[in-house]
Amino acid sequence: MELAWQDTDVLDMPTPGTPITTLGGLADLPGGYGARLGWARTRAEALRTEFAATGTPDTVTTCDLVTLPYPTRFGLFRASRAIAPFLAITNRMLVIRWTESDGRRRVLLFEPSDVQLGRNTPYFAALARRTPGPVRSLMVTEHGTVLGHLARLGIAPEDVDYLLFDHLHTQDLRRWIGTSTPQPDFGDGPAEPAFPRAKVIVQRLDFLPLVNERDSYGSRRGDSCFVTDCPVWEDSR
């Protein structure tokens, strides 16, 4: 299969921190999932040592966002024979705060899902169409919002430095990073970013499919994104 996008499409994107090379090459390892798992286990000790050497954050706070149904066959893959079609998962945001060697305070949000806009992403929109309203209200529990949790922790949106997601397929970032064009579901004009100083860190392969769609989404791509081929450390020693 020939992809419509290539690595060269995002070569101009900046990369943060220092690459983690300990697990480099995992995706290209032959032998299937078992071989990759065995290889990763042999490297885990080295990764743990490397990770510990990068420093310790000041605080890590877990914030529950929403509990919702997720297909068992996706969530557990081949590890379960349960007949239940769905399992319950709780999306949580991690608020990570640390201090750089020069005294700068940093704030990173991991998985700051916009629950309200996320309902309209393809997977959740399709699930909602198939689920009666009364049943849906029993299946979904909203615990709090990203901005609400930050207010409770005393963190202003302009103090957030990074937004980090493990993958983007059920995420809508328009409210967080703003848009350069009007959005019909937002109002008459472009959306101002809720996190005006934040950079988004995404995996390069996760970002590539969006490159050709950036005009229709109206994202401020050049101002707000980092891309990376692998995990990265932010040097805080």
Side-chain angles (χ1 to χ4, degrees), residues 52-106:
T54 64
T56 303
D58 299 327
T59 61
V60 178
T61 307
T62 302
C63 304
D64 289 358
L65 296 175
V66 61
T67 299
L68 44 77
Y70 196 71
T72 303
R73 63 190 180 94
F74 295 161
L76 299 179
F77 195 43
R78 298 171 181 168
S80 173
R81 296 181 179 179
I83 61 174
F86 293 100
L87 51 80
I89 62 171
T90 297
N91 286 356
R92 296 181 172 95
M93 172 179 67
L94 296 183
V95 180
I96 304 169
R97 288 177 276 190
W98 74 96
T99 304
E100 299 281 7
S101 56
D102 60 5
R104 287 178 298 166
R105 301 293 299 273
R106 296 288 200 185

Side-chain angles (χ1 to χ4, degrees), residues 154-196:
I155 299 173
E158 57 268 23
D159 292 334
V160 174
D161 297 286
Y162 301 109
L163 309 176
L164 175 62
F165 297 89
D166 59 0
H167 61 290
L168 297 176
H169 83 278
T170 58
Q171 302 291 346
D172 188 329
L173 274 63
R174 291 175 299 159
R175 196 199 309 267
W176 298 160
I177 66 176
T179 67
S180 57
T181 60
Q183 303 294 295
D185 54 339
F186 269 35
D188 296 331
E192 292 298 318
F195 301 108

Side-chain angles (χ1 to χ4, degrees), residues 23 26 29-45:
L23 297 178
L26 176 61
L29 194 73
Y33 294 117
R36 293 177 185 177
L37 178 60
W39 184 87
R41 284 172 172 166
T42 65
R43 306 299 292 270
E45 185 174 350

